[in-house]
Amino acid sequence: MMQTENDLLELQRQLALRMADGLNVEATARLGLQIAIQASEMDSGGVYLIENDPRSLVLKTSLGISKEFIEIIYRYLPDSDRWNLVMERKPVFSNYDQLPFQQIPVLTVEGLKSVAILPMLYQDKVIGSLQLASHHEKKISQSQKKVLETISLQLGKHIERARQMEDAQKNELQFRELVDSLEESVLVIFFNGSIQYANRHLLRLLDYSQDQFVGHNLDEFYNSSNNQGFSDFLLHLQDKSSQTMLVFLSARNGELHSLEITATHAMWDYKPALSIFGFEYMRNAKDVSANQPGDVKQLVDLIPAAAIIINAQTFEILHSNTGFQRFFKYSKEAQSAANFLQLFAQNEYMRLITALRIKGLASLGGTQTWTQVKQDGTEIQTTLHIHPIEWGTMSASMVIIDPPEVQDAPRHEISENRYRDVVEQQTDIVVRFTTDGMITFVNQAYCDFLKKLPEQLIGRSLYDFLSFSEVETVREHLAKISIEIPMGESRNYLIDGEGNWRYLNWIDRGIFEGNELVEVQGVGRDVTEQVKESLLIETMQQRYQTLVEELPGVVYVLHAESLRPLYISPLFERVSGYNILDIWEQPGLVINSIFPDDFPKVKETILKRVGGEDLPHQEFRFYHSDGHIMWVQEYGSRIQTQNGVNLLQGLVLDVTETHLARQKIEYYAKFERLINEISLSLMNIRPYQWDSTVDDILRSIGTLLEVDRSYIFCIQADKNTLSNTHEWCATGISSQINNLQKMSITEAEMWFQYFGDENAIMIKDVSALPQEFESTRTLLQTQSIQSLLLVAMMRQNEICGFIGFDTVRMKKEWDDQAILLLRTVSQMLLNTKDRISPQKPTLSI
């Protein structure tokens, strides 16, 4: 049975509704194929998708064809006839034996008679094809063709979205598998401390199951031995400039474990989160009190320069040597109450705070000069050398303070025996060598590292144990040490006694006689594992960031009160056309781009979310950077930081195509209701009701199609004149009917010449009419008409007038449905007029 237009519209509506259910790729393809077969009244078909390994069209799902046939047509490679036809991007409706394909005898056994091949596009790119077939001769009607083209367009969009979601889920699974394989701890928490994920290593370390740990708040496992409260700890993690810090967590048996952690901002289940990577700092945190920093104090006391130990988080001075006390004129008692930041001049505070916020404590070191203040108020220019160290349970740093010009050379003289006693107790490797590189002293750790005795090393060249590629770099580094710059930091790699490459961080300090550099002492720390883990963390963070940025929607975080963006994922640029930099430079840009009529609704939703109401999603219009209007669907929620700041976070999807398809379905439904209403109004009409009924009909179609005027013109009985017999005008639009009576037929000659085969004419822009139609353009412009659509009214195959509408306030373009509406209404009016007044052939009484 032939499908009616109503049936086809209903099928489209069903497809749009069911596609919104979030089906996977295969289910989406199968549903689309079922609807397409039903709409086309064919009996079989398949959906092909382009895959990359190897690149080919692969049959994803099929109905109504034999297994033997499927085995032959399962895959089409590039440059095959089927591939080339799909890549032409044009729908094909044909008999099977007339397709421009190489005829393969084995395929004819299937007995296919008719086919339809429709390419599926997504963002103007071919992603596959919808292919239908019939075992009987089948002619596809124009209405069916239009519906099939719409279905293929919808199907391409929904399949690609489903594929993106499947890829995102697969990436997340791969990410979790990779993280679970690490021998380091990985933890994901929301900003309120709620634990969302923990890898196997961390769960084993703390002896918890997933249920006992994930879903709880990190505060339950955060130990009081930490140097700050849990709220301050969370705030520190949320600070994007925060450095590595030490944290103590309680295991199930009560044992403490210390982790050296770094945190990065991430997304989890479309919500802002913190991804935390941790390395076990010591086997058992209960023994931390026994790990006193006495040896480090001794070493600091021996440094022949002003040196202090500071808490890396609070900047409290924990210890100072006599060089610092003498140079800055601080007593031991005054030092214990001092803070590192107090040592800087007031005019340095802006530069100091900026550097700390962006890059942390280590950024203060290097060759840059600082103005610092002694306790007596005297200002002095200094350079800083900053080194992270172990200081009990604290994250601390050693700061060595040097004046740019050092004249007090005797302060470099260190008691050799006293120095040896200290360095022999250190786990860091220590080596001393002359300016040409000859080794004069090594500690036991250095010997153990290279698996050699002291006598096998002393007297040899330092460069014998370096990679050839490292020699020149080390020479350049050591050449910079002078009386003005007596110390430097570097990193290189050595081959240890077992043949392994190892990375070492070095602190090299010059030893002088007068102003002459005679030797260099280097203290090195093996950082191979940290370097490897740092690279691994960077890779993990990049994977996590990639996962977020490959989501099919725009991820955002806003400040709830000001609506100022704090984070917007890069997809925003592709979706909206705006540059991300525009958002930071113009904080109101996003809000100002919301369609004005929709803004009150969006604002109300935001206020309700800030107030704690759960409003999962909303739809609204948004201006693209090029000016066109998009429809977006937004899923969001409120989060609150520990200090009470409200943030809004969520995901925004571009649903313009879905919304337009839904609008079209709604429009078709209104169209159908209007035709039914007009039919009922004309069924029992009396001659005296004619004019008022026609005016009502013009009002109904004008309102539906959002035009400014709708009207009817009739050729009079003399066939030489034309009159506007009926008119409806929108509010604020002036009537023209009195000015358009008994016009000469020659004034409308253009209409009759250009109605064409469709008996319709549409002018999108009256001002663009060519010179040959100047009189018509002038006539229309005197009525302020910008666009119009006319459809001829036909009686016995002759034009007896026309029905149409125009716009005054804006230019407009109409689709085939508008023409169909006018044609249907005009025919209904003519039939009714002939029925109630057969003696009067015009539409006026």
Side-chain angles (χ1 to χ4, degrees):
M1 182 177 67
M2 178 68 71
Q3 298 271 15
T4 67
E5 288 197 11
N6 290 339
D7 294 333
L8 296 174
L9 290 174
E10 177 60 23
L11 287 173
Q12 281 183 253
R13 189 184 71 83
Q14 289 180 18
L15 181 62
L17 291 175
R18 294 177 65 185
M19 286 294 185
D21 292 340
L23 305 174
N24 61 25
V25 171
E26 188 168 351
T28 301
R30 195 165 188 84
L31 173 60
L33 177 60
Q34 290 170 344
I35 297 292
I37 289 176
Q38 191 175 349
S40 66
E41 298 180 301
M42 290 193 167
D43 57 24
S44 57
V47 174
Y48 285 83
L49 296 180
I50 292 179
E51 295 187 353
N52 292 323
D53 192 16
R55 187 161 175 79
S56 55
L57 273 168
V58 177
L59 185 64
K60 194 69 179 178
T61 187
S62 64
L63 291 170
I65 50 180
S66 66
K67 291 182 180 179
E68 294 76 16
F69 190 71
I70 290 174
E71 289 177 0
I72 300 170
I73 63 160
Y74 176 73
R75 186 187 299 273
Y76 291 102
L77 297 173
D79 296 329
S80 64
D81 47 18
R82 186 85 57 144
W83 174 282
N84 292 332
L85 184 65
V86 171
M87 291 305 153
E88 289 180 5
R89 307 159 67 94
K90 297 177 181 178
V92 174
F93 302 93
S94 172
N95 290 336
Y96 186 78
D97 56 6
Q98 294 177 347
L99 288 173
F101 294 161
Q102 178 183 359
Q103 295 299 320
I104 302 175
V106 70
L107 295 182
T108 60
V109 176
E110 185 68 19
L112 298 180
K113 302 296 184 184
S114 304
V115 295
I117 301 176
L118 300 102
M120 296 189 307
L121 305 180
Y122 180 75
Q123 295 184 349
D124 205 34
K125 177 183 175 183
V126 177
I127 67 162
S129 70
L130 170 63
Q131 304 196 12
L132 308 172
S134 175
H135 293 80
H136 307 282
E137 294 286 348
K138 176 72 180 73
K139 182 165 180 62
I140 305 291
S141 70
Q142 284 299 118
S143 297
Q144 288 174 317
K145 288 179 181 178
K146 288 182 179 179
V147 169
L148 290 176
E149 290 174 19
T150 301
I151 289 174
S152 69
L153 182 65
Q154 286 181 286
L155 195 54
K157 177 189 65 176
H158 286 289
I159 283 178
E160 189 59 28
R161 284 228 175 124
R163 186 148 55 184
Q164 289 174 356
M165 292 304 293
E166 286 185 359
D167 289 344
Q169 291 169 358
K170 189 184 301 180
N171 288 341
E172 183 175 345
L173 287 174
Q174 291 175 346
F175 172 77
R176 291 196 186 202
E177 288 173 2
L178 181 60
V179 170
D180 266 342
S181 68
L182 295 177
E183 290 303 317
E184 289 75 36
S185 299
V186 180
L187 179 68
V188 177
I189 63 172
F190 285 157
F191 285 1
N192 63 3
S194 173
I195 300 171
Q196 302 302 307
Y197 171 76
N199 72 340
R200 282 195 292 264
H201 180 81
L202 179 60
L203 293 174
R204 284 197 303 265
L205 181 68
L206 301 180
D207 193 24
Y208 285 108
S209 66
Q210 283 278 355
D211 293 340
Q212 293 169 327
F213 196 72
V214 175
H216 294 258
N217 196 287
L218 187 60
D219 192 14
E220 299 175 30
F221 310 96
Y222 184 81
N223 192 268
S224 58
S225 298
N226 292 289
N227 295 320
Q228 57 187 168
F230 186 69
S231 298
D232 292 337
F233 167 71
L234 282 181
L235 289 175
H236 182 84
L237 291 181
Q238 292 170 34
D239 183 358
K240 290 187 178 181
S241 65
S242 63
Q243 305 296 305
T244 299
M245 63 185 298
L246 198 65
V247 62
F248 297 95
L249 299 179
S250 297
R252 192 158 63 95
N253 61 4
E255 184 178 350
L256 295 186
H257 289 270
S258 57
L259 295 174
E260 190 173 6
I261 65 170
T262 56
T264 59
H265 286 240
M267 294 295 294
W268 193 268
D269 289 338
Y270 307 128
K271 297 179 181 179
L274 293 166
S275 182
I276 301 171
F277 297 83
F279 308 97
E280 198 169 0
Y281 192 70
M282 61 186 65
R283 182 58 59 187
N284 190 334
K286 288 191 295 187
D287 297 331
V288 72
S289 59
N291 185 28
Q292 296 296 335
D295 290 344
V296 182
K297 284 184 179 180
Q298 284 184 293
L299 185 59
V300 171
D301 288 341
L302 288 175
I303 293 175
I308 56 176
I309 304 295
I310 66 172
N311 184 314
Q313 295 173 13
T314 66
F315 306 113
E316 172 192 2
I317 298 177
L318 305 173
H319 179 70
S320 65
N321 68 355
T322 54
F324 171 82
Q325 295 159 19
R326 183 174 62 249
F327 186 67
F328 278 86
K329 303 187 184 306
Y330 272 87
S331 66
K332 196 74 172 175
E333 293 72 23
Q335 166 261 298
S336 63
N339 188 287
F340 176 57
L341 302 185
Q342 292 176 228
L343 303 181
F344 291 84
Q346 188 172 358
N347 62 357
E348 292 281 29
Y349 275 12
M350 184 61 68
R351 181 164 72 110
L352 175 67
I353 298 304
T354 301
L356 288 172
R357 187 178 69 250
I358 296 175
K359 293 184 179 179
L361 185 61
S363 66
L364 308 184
T367 58
Q368 59 188 318
T369 301
W370 296 93
T371 302
Q372 292 193 294
V373 182
K374 299 180 180 181
Q375 192 177 31
D376 62 6
T378 306
E379 292 187 355
I380 188 167
Q381 301 298 306
T382 64
T383 56
L384 307 177
H385 308 278
I386 301 173
H387 317 282
I389 63 168
E390 300 173 9
W391 187 266
T393 64
M394 292 184 187
S395 175
S397 289
M398 177 172 65
V399 182
I400 300 175
I401 306 170
D402 267 332
E405 297 181 4
V406 181
Q407 298 177 348
D408 187 16
R411 68 189 180 89
H412 295 293
E413 297 174 3
I414 303 175
S415 167
E416 189 69 30
N417 292 333
R418 193 170 170 213
Y419 172 78
R420 287 174 187 266
D421 289 341
V422 173
V423 298
E424 287 293 352
Q425 299 175 27
Q426 303 304 305
T427 56
D428 291 340
I429 64 176
V430 179
V431 60
R432 185 165 164 173
F433 48 91
T434 62
T435 53
D436 60 1
M438 186 184 76
I439 297 173
T440 59
F441 168 79
V442 292
N443 71 343
Q444 188 57 47
Y446 192 93
C447 297
D448 294 342
F449 181 84
L450 294 177
K451 303 294 187 205
K452 294 185 181 296
L453 298 173
E455 53 267 28
Q456 294 175 302
L457 296 172
I458 294 173
R460 298 259 318 257
S461 172
L462 175 77
Y463 303 112
D464 290 347
F465 305 99
L466 292 176
S467 163
F468 179 76
S469 61
E470 293 275 274
V471 170
E472 192 57 37
T473 303
V474 173
R475 287 186 189 276
E476 290 176 1
H477 161 69
L478 295 175
K480 296 175 183 177
I481 295 177
S482 63
I483 192 70
E484 291 80 18
I485 307 175
M487 191 173 75
E489 299 176 58
S490 66
R491 174 181 292 178
N492 57 43
Y493 52 90
L494 298 175
I495 303 176
D496 66 15
E498 297 176 350
N500 301 312
W501 291 104
R502 309 294 295 177
Y503 286 93
L504 288 100
N505 279 351
W506 291 94
I507 300 173
D508 298 306
R509 188 168 187 82
I511 298 171
F512 299 85
E513 291 182 0
N515 289 336
E516 182 184 357
L517 176 68
V518 292
E519 284 188 317
V520 176
Q521 64 182 24
V523 179
R525 174 168 292 187
D526 186 350
V527 293
T528 306
E529 297 308 317
Q530 291 94 314
V531 170
K532 288 181 180 178
E533 298 304 341
S534 176
L535 293 173
L536 182 59
I537 287 174
E538 185 176 346
T539 302
M540 292 298 98
Q541 292 172 346
Q542 289 172 351
R543 284 176 175 268
Y544 200 98
Q545 185 72 12
T546 300
L547 179 63
V548 170
E549 294 177 358
E550 287 183 353
L551 288 172
V554 177
V555 178
Y556 72 84
V557 180
L558 305 178
H559 184 269
E561 278 72 30
S562 67
L563 299 184
R564 188 182 184 91
L566 303 179
Y567 172 79
I568 295 185
S569 61
L571 181 64
F572 179 78
E573 293 190 351
R574 194 164 77 241
V575 171
S576 70
Y578 293 107
N579 191 296
I580 287 290
L581 292 178
D582 296 338
I583 303 302
W584 310 130
E585 294 171 1
Q586 307 172 52
L589 179 62
V590 173
I591 299 303
N592 294 335
S593 297
I594 296 174
F595 193 73
D597 291 348
D598 295 343
F599 181 75
K601 177 184 66 175
V602 175
K603 184 178 180 180
E604 182 182 1
T605 300
I606 290 172
L607 291 175
K608 287 183 177 179
R609 283 183 183 160
V610 172
E613 287 191 46
D614 183 17
L615 299 174
H617 71 275
Q618 61 176 331
E619 282 191 8
F620 57 89
R621 287 164 288 183
F622 188 89
Y623 284 111
H624 191 276
S625 65
D626 63 12
H628 83 263
I629 296 176
M630 306 162 49
W631 277 93
V632 298
Q633 192 172 69
E634 181 261 355
Y635 297 80
S637 62
R638 183 199 74 172
I639 55 176
Q640 193 174 59
T641 65
Q642 287 293 315
N643 59 357
V645 176
N646 287 321
L647 304 178
L648 297 174
Q649 52 78 44
L651 181 74
V652 179
L653 300 171
D654 180 1
V655 294
T656 305
E657 294 180 12
T658 302
H659 194 87
L660 292 177
R662 190 189 310 147
Q663 281 186 323
K664 203 164 190 179
I665 291 170
E666 292 172 357
Y667 168 77
Y668 289 154
K670 291 179 182 178
F671 179 98
E672 179 185 355
R673 286 196 298 271
L674 179 59
I675 294 297
N676 289 337
E677 290 170 3
I678 292 173
S679 177
L680 289 172
S681 68
L682 293 174
M683 189 176 297
N684 299 312
I685 190 174
R686 297 289 184 266
Y688 68 86
Q689 299 171 315
W690 176 256
D691 286 332
S692 61
T693 302
V694 172
D695 288 343
D696 285 343
I697 291 172
L698 291 178
R699 175 185 54 76
S700 298
I701 62 176
T703 303
L704 175 65
L705 295 170
E706 299 178 342
V707 298
D708 295 324
R709 275 193 292 259
S710 57
Y711 41 73
I712 294 174
F713 280 76
C714 290
I715 298 175
Q716 301 301 301
D718 59 10
K719 303 247 178 125
N720 294 320
T721 57
L722 186 72
S723 292
N724 185 182
T725 60
H726 298 83
E727 177 193 53
W728 168 83
C729 297
T731 303
I733 302 300
S734 61
S735 172
Q736 298 294 326
I737 191 169
N738 294 331
N739 303 325
L740 300 171
Q741 299 298 314
K742 295 188 177 180
M743 300 164 51
S744 170
I745 202 78
T746 57
E747 293 184 60
E749 185 177 1
M750 171 188 167
W751 313 135
F752 300 106
Q753 287 180 358
Y754 287 93
F755 271 130
D757 295 338
E758 294 286 329
N759 283 323
I761 183 169
M762 180 168 59
I763 301 176
K764 304 172 190 175
D765 184 358
V766 167
S767 64
L769 283 172
Q771 188 67 29
E772 58 186 295
F773 300 123
E774 182 178 1
S775 61
T776 301
R777 183 176 66 245
T778 301
L779 174 64
L780 296 175
Q781 288 179 333
T782 59
Q783 302 171 54
S784 302
I785 295 173
Q786 297 201 52
S787 305
L788 63 80
L789 172 65
L790 303 178
V791 172
M793 303 180 73
M794 307 294 296
R795 177 184 276 117
Q796 297 178 354
N797 294 323
E798 289 189 5
I799 298 177
C800 63
F802 53 80
I803 183 171
F805 34 62
D806 56 46
T807 59
V808 172
R809 289 172 285 208
M810 61 185 294
K811 295 182 178 66
K812 194 174 179 73
E813 184 176 357
W814 295 275
D815 60 11
D816 293 344
Q817 293 301 318
I819 297 174
L820 176 61
L821 174 62
L822 290 183
R823 184 176 292 122
T824 303
V825 170
S826 71
Q827 197 59 53
M828 293 169 70
L829 290 172
L830 285 170
N831 292 342
T832 303
K833 186 62 172 66
D834 291 344
R835 176 172 58 81
I836 66 173
S837 301
Q839 74 283 6
K840 295 185 179 181
T842 68
L843 284 176
S844 59
I845 293 179

